[in-house]
Amino acid sequence: MIAELGQLCLCTAFMLACLQASTLLLHRLWRPHALLAWARPMAVCYAMLLTGAFAALLVSYAQSDFSVMNVLLNSHRDKPLLYKIVGTWGNHEGSMLLWAWIIGAYGFALAFLRTSERALTHRALAVMGGLNAGLLAFILLTSNPFLRVWPMPAEGEDLNPLLQDIGLAFHPPTLYVGYVGFAVVFCFAIAGLMERRIDRNWARTVHPYIMLPWSALTLGIGAGSWWAYRELGWGGWWFWDPVENVSLLPWLTGTALLHANMVLARRGQLAGWVVLLAILTFSMALIGTFIVRSGLITSVHAFASDPARGVFILGYIALTTGGALALYAFRPLAQQPSSPPALASRTGLILLGNMLLVASAATVLLAILYPVFSQLLGAPEVSVGAPYFNRTFLPMSAPLLVLAALAPLLPWDRFSVAQLRARLRLLAPSLGAAALVTLAVADAQWALMLVGAAFSAWLFWGTAAALQRAMRARASQHGWAWRRQLAGIVAHAALALFAAGIAATSLLKETYEAPLIAGQDLQLGAFTLQLVKATRTTEANYEVRRATFRLREGNRTLTELTPELRYYPVRRMQTTEAALHSTPWRDLYLAIGDAPGSPEGDAPRLGVRLYVTPGQQWLWIAFILAAISGAVVTLAAFAQRLTERHA
Amino acid sequence: MRSQNLPLIAFFCLTIGLWAAMQYQPSRAPAMATPLPPMPLQALDGETRNDAWSPDSGRVSIVNFFASWCTPCRAEHPQLKALSARKDVALHGIAWNDTAPHLTAFLEKYGNPYDSVWRDDTGKAAISVGLRGVPESYVIGRDGKIRLHIRGAISPTMLPELEALLDTLQREEIDDATAHP
């Protein structure tokens, strides 16, 4: 019954979305003025219907209703309730429904938080109706989560302990809030192109809808990396896996978009470029979905792939992106009154940064698609891995740090050589010092990392200088304007911290391993490990061996760590629960496990493994700071709008 | 040509390309009932190299492409361990796009189900079998020919079927032996 209700909600929502989209066409034919405004209540109803559908699926999971195919394949009666619920979006059908629900929620927000741009917002909502109609058609025709099974099986099929991780609870939803959120600015871009009006007001209207998805995407990528670090455990947190790269694409173009949109909002420049970026960013999210769900590339995040889905998504992309780009090509914006931006201006530097970001995105896209196309063209296949990105992506992103430090310190319209020289003064010594040390050690990796550290130090200096200026100008600013400016500075500081973290973790990481010998202290570099206690107990469904170590550095006792080794006899699965000691400066990561090189069968010896990674926490702090600053800008925009309306 | 048209044209080409790639995927994967091509591989310790590795003939074997950074590979691991309990089947692991320290840590953490572990540092082995991603597995009969190709992780539900196939492959050889004494 509940599944049928969900199905009914979906079908009704589909029809409503079609109606919502058709207001555009009807408006074009007869131009009745009130018609477009209907998109607003329709968007609200659509959001409610999808909430109903998603709730129906959640309830089916919570109740373990195995007569629903989707629940049968992805759940199990013995799962804890939390993981039953989380499992709702751990599969293709459920995650697509989450997509649709999130986009509905954005529509709801758009309909409720009115802007001064009524007509534009209504038009954007109508365009969103078109996007929703296509999405729901996809769900209903190829990925319906409410299909029934008869007779109802007694037990579900999946009880994989690996997927029962709290990381799964919030990594996909935050990521989707980011991906899907870029649909809003896409709709506004189309609406603006239809009205032939992309101007400063347009930019102000859409700005929070760029910042919120950007912020969520940053957090989502960060959560994924944190999960990989914690669960995979050997110090890696980014593996250049195709699906990780796919999430990076809209982040890169979205970062370019938010900066270009700032220029548009303040200076009225770059309108065409902003529209193109808005289209591109959402298209990247769609192309990412296509790549992951079509089975064109198998990867870490394998979803059950189905060619029919791939063709459908590709058709969807062709209609949406193709349509938007056709509109962009054949319905050019009115000629802009302002002159093109000078390179020697903040606008020019932002544009330069945009070029670098888009070029980096192109590099990543090329890496994702190259294996596919080279196979198609009959060329010898190559595997594209980390070395490619180290050689292309890193050198391209390093200059971004310079720009990020420089741009906030220089005036918007035009700066002189003397001004630039004054700002650059500090970079020269730090780069020079890095070069000298590099010559001394003559190691390519050190060189790269030192240059990274120098750039990062410089960006810190730049943000400190920007902060000082902002403090001085504080009195003259409106409360929210000041917070917004501060958020920008914090985001750049986060970038500096991030760069420093990358330099530290990849350069200074130390790994020690040694077999465990009873009654002996282990000497690992500067660290001494003393076995305090070892226990062996049997828990509900696994056996566990625990070892408590006292960790000393020199004569100073740092901490006691208790790593575990678990064995699940039913699934014949061995996992280690490592012990982690985090300080702001470094992470100490201790694990016990089979000593390397002993295959199954020979009695495995126990070994200890210690990783010392300086700067690991900086990365997570950087992700969080960036996400918070994005959220603050979003809030500032909404708050400012409210105060303006009341004024 | 106006510059506004360029994105549309570029996108058009990309879409056609993606569509073509979906329609026409000349799989480089070796065909069923042919042997795996010999692959240039490196042993885990990095010292031993074998420029034309192939699984020993005369034994039923499974060649499993994996990587320490790959999440489905971790999900697949218990199934591999279940398979490694069979002494009549040789289980070979080929790590793709990986490093020795990460691999050692991975095998230490989850246990080592493989009879032999190899590294494909150059990516040439992956190319020679048309690897699409990890994990991917080949089941090879006693005659050295491929009997099953699995793209993606071996799931717990696949396990009984796979075990049945391995049993058949074991018996097949015995049948052959009795037919041609």
Side-chain angles (χ1 to χ4, degrees):
Chain A
M1 182 58 196
I2 285 168
E4 278 67 35
L5 270 179
Q7 174 90 10
L8 187 68
C9 284
L10 274 190
C11 292
T12 321
F14 172 69
M15 287 187 277
L16 195 67
C18 290
L19 274 180
Q20 197 176 327
S22 65
T23 55
L24 262 188
L25 191 68
L26 294 176
H27 178 79
R28 180 130 190 91
L29 290 178
W30 296 302
R31 307 202 162 271
H33 274 299
L35 193 63
L36 266 185
W38 286 12
R40 216 177 132 241
M42 282 185 193
V44 174
C45 291
Y46 176 85
M48 286 173 174
L49 283 169
L50 269 176
T51 307
F54 193 64
L57 192 62
L58 275 180
V59 170
S60 303
Y61 265 89
Q63 293 181 339
S64 293
D65 180 358
F66 295 127
S67 68
V68 178
M69 175 80 95
N70 192 246
V71 182
L72 171 73
L73 292 179
N74 300 298
S75 196
H76 194 284
R77 214 176 287 279
D78 292 344
K79 265 190 189 178
L81 182 66
L82 174 68
Y83 293 124
K84 279 182 188 166
I85 289 171
V86 168
T88 313
W89 54 79
N91 58 82
H92 169 76
E93 288 82 0
S95 67
M96 287 321 286
L97 192 59
L98 182 67
W99 253 82
W101 180 66
I102 291 174
I103 202 170
Y106 271 109
F108 184 84
L110 209 52
F112 250 78
L113 300 164
R114 290 194 186 204
T115 61
S116 53
E117 296 277 347
R118 289 270 168 87
L120 187 74
T121 308
H122 293 156
R123 212 181 273 266
L125 276 174
V127 175
M128 192 184 262
L131 284 186
N132 288 341
L135 187 61
L136 285 189
F138 174 68
I139 292 178
L140 286 168
L141 294 176
T142 70
S143 334
N144 193 336
F146 295 113
L147 292 182
R148 289 278 194 185
V149 193
W150 189 259
M152 175 177 157
E155 190 49 277
E157 292 188 356
D158 190 53
L159 187 68
N160 189 346
L162 285 173
L163 293 179
Q164 298 180 23
D165 186 274
I166 196 68
L168 197 65
F170 61 92
H171 165 54
T174 41
L175 214 53
Y176 289 164
V177 170
Y179 273 168
V180 179
F182 286 121
V184 177
V185 60
F186 175 84
C187 294
F188 269 105
I190 293 182
L193 282 173
M194 282 175 170
E195 291 186 6
R196 291 194 162 188
R197 198 173 60 83
I198 305 277
D199 54 12
R200 299 169 74 157
N201 275 334
W202 182 93
R204 289 208 190 100
T205 311
V206 299
H207 204 65
Y209 296 103
I210 298 173
M211 290 314 299
L212 182 63
W214 181 84
S215 184
L217 193 58
T218 309
L219 202 61
I221 294 175
S225 308
W226 179 70
W227 177 81
Y229 171 73
R230 218 167 38 94
E231 280 293 305
L232 298 179
W234 31 97
W237 51 276
W238 190 265
F239 299 96
W240 296 112
D241 167 71
V243 176
E244 286 176 335
N245 293 341
V246 153
S247 72
L248 199 57
L249 287 176
W251 190 87
L252 289 170
T253 54
T255 308
L257 173 63
L258 81 88
H259 287 95
N261 197 54
M262 273 165 52
V263 175
L264 181 59
R266 273 173 192 264
R267 313 284 300 172
Q269 290 166 319
L270 307 181
W273 175 240
V274 168
V275 168
L276 192 58
L277 277 179
I279 296 171
L280 209 61
T281 303
F282 183 55
S283 306
M284 286 300 163
L286 285 178
I287 287 176
T289 315
F290 167 75
I291 289 170
V292 180
R293 310 292 167 108
S294 67
L296 207 55
I297 292 169
T298 12
S299 113
V300 170
H301 301 62
F303 273 95
S305 60
D306 177 355
R309 285 175 194 159
V311 172
F312 203 112
I313 303 178
L314 198 59
Y316 187 72
I317 295 176
L319 275 180
T320 52
T321 310
L325 287 178
L327 209 58
Y328 177 79
F330 301 121
R331 214 179 147 81
L333 298 165
Q335 202 60 44
Q336 282 171 48
S338 55
S339 54
L343 182 63
S345 66
R346 196 191 288 189
T347 310
L349 292 184
I350 288 181
L351 198 54
L352 202 61
N354 263 239
M355 298 297 170
L356 284 171
L357 282 166
V358 172
S360 318
T363 317
V364 176
L365 186 66
L366 184 70
I368 298 172
L369 294 179
Y370 191 86
V372 178
F373 285 137
S374 75
Q375 201 177 21
L376 184 68
L377 298 174
E381 210 177 326
V382 292
S383 62
V384 181
Y388 167 83
F389 293 100
N390 290 343
R391 258 171 252 166
T392 57
F393 188 83
L394 291 186
M396 242 192 281
S397 43
L400 279 173
L401 300 181
V402 179
L403 292 174
L406 265 186
L409 294 176
L410 290 164
W412 279 98
D413 38 8
R414 197 171 269 281
F415 55 78
S416 63
V417 180
Q419 276 171 310
L420 183 65
R421 206 187 297 138
R423 311 284 182 255
L424 279 174
R425 217 166 18 200
L426 246 89
L427 178 64
S430 54
L431 275 185
L436 276 181
V437 180
T438 308
L439 280 178
V441 292
D443 183 329
Q445 205 198 357
W446 269 88
L448 205 62
M449 290 308 145
L450 280 172
V451 171
F455 278 144
S456 156
W458 196 58
L459 181 50
F460 270 124
W461 169 79
T463 46
L467 185 64
Q468 194 192 6
R469 282 168 139 227
M471 295 290 259
R472 241 181 283 144
R474 185 179 175 180
S476 63
Q477 271 176 326
H478 192 275
W480 280 108
W482 149 255
R483 265 165 243 175
R484 204 170 48 198
Q485 196 177 2
L486 190 65
I489 292 170
V490 169
H492 280 200
L495 179 65
L497 192 62
F498 188 70
I502 290 181
T505 49
S506 38
L507 192 62
L508 303 174
K509 186 182 169 193
E510 294 162 38
T511 308
Y512 305 102
E513 51 187 329
L516 197 59
I517 303 158
Q520 240 178 42
D521 285 2
L522 288 174
Q523 194 66 41
L524 305 169
F527 300 94
T528 314
L529 271 184
Q530 183 192 353
L531 185 63
V532 181
K533 196 172 68 182
T535 57
R536 188 169 198 150
T537 48
T538 306
E539 303 280 333
N541 59 343
Y542 59 89
E543 295 158 16
V544 59
R545 282 191 278 180
R546 282 193 191 92
T548 305
F549 293 95
R550 185 166 298 141
L551 185 63
R552 286 201 311 263
E553 189 178 19
N555 290 327
R556 200 158 51 94
T557 302
L558 291 176
T559 180
E560 279 195 3
L561 293 169
T562 310
E564 292 179 4
L565 190 63
R566 291 183 187 170
Y567 181 69
Y568 296 81
V570 180
R571 293 184 64 91
R572 295 186 203 178
M573 189 165 180
Q574 175 183 300
T575 64
T576 62
E577 303 293 315
L580 194 62
H581 177 68
S582 298
T583 65
W585 294 106
R586 64 184 180 195
D587 271 20
L588 299 172
Y589 182 106
L590 186 67
I592 50 172
D594 297 349
S598 54
E600 198 81 347
D602 314 350
R605 286 185 311 151
L606 273 191
V608 183
R609 202 166 252 276
L610 176 72
Y611 300 95
V612 185
T613 10
Q616 188 69 47
Q617 297 297 316
W618 306 348
L619 296 174
W620 313 140
I621 295 170
F623 274 118
I624 292 169
L625 279 183
I628 290 177
S629 63
V632 167
V633 175
T634 314
L635 280 179
F638 285 132
Q640 213 164 15
R641 221 167 265 175
L642 279 177
T643 45
E644 270 168 22
R645 199 183 308 154
H646 289 302
Chain B
M1 201 191 314
R2 288 183 316 139
S3 63
Q4 280 103 319
N5 297 351
L6 285 177
L8 183 62
I9 294 164
F11 170 75
F12 186 70
C13 298
L14 180 68
T15 316
I16 296 289
L18 284 175
W19 183 77
M22 284 204 57
Q23 300 305 312
Y24 170 77
Q25 286 188 14
S27 177
R28 274 159 196 278
M32 287 296 137
T34 61
L36 267 182
M39 294 176 274
L41 292 173
Q42 230 177 340
L44 185 55
D45 55 22
E47 282 160 19
T48 327
R49 288 193 59 91
N50 189 340
D51 286 332
W53 182 87
S54 50
D56 300 334
S57 55
R59 255 189 113 178
V60 178
S61 42
I62 298 174
V63 178
N64 174 247
F65 284 87
F66 74 107
S68 68
W69 45 266
C70 140
T71 327
C73 300
R74 290 198 312 146
E76 186 186 50
H77 214 70
Q79 285 76 264
L80 290 179
K81 292 195 97 175
L83 288 170
S84 78
R86 293 178 66 121
K87 292 295 164 210
D88 56 343
V89 175
L91 183 57
H92 305 287
I94 300 178
W96 175 68
N97 200 357
D98 216 328
T99 63
H102 286 179
L103 261 178
T104 324
F106 176 81
L107 295 174
E108 192 182 323
K109 181 163 179 176
Y110 297 107
N112 182 358
Y114 301 109
D115 294 301
S116 71
V117 181
W118 298 89
R119 267 160 50 199
D120 176 25
D121 284 359
T122 55
K124 282 184 180 152
I127 291 167
S128 68
V129 296
L131 188 78
R132 274 244 225 117
V134 276
E136 247 181 57
S137 309
Y138 287 92
V139 177
I140 292 160
R142 283 184 154 178
D143 50 1
K145 290 176 179 168
I146 300 169
R147 296 308 176 89
L148 182 66
H149 177 194
I150 303 166
R151 276 199 165 136
I154 300 169
S155 66
T157 39
M158 285 160 78
L159 210 49
E161 234 173 285
L162 190 56
E163 298 249 19
L165 174 72
L166 292 173
D167 290 338
T168 323
L169 289 180
Q170 289 295 346
R171 253 177 282 129
E172 207 171 60
E173 177 66 18
I174 296 161
D175 290 350
D176 283 352
T178 45
H180 311 283

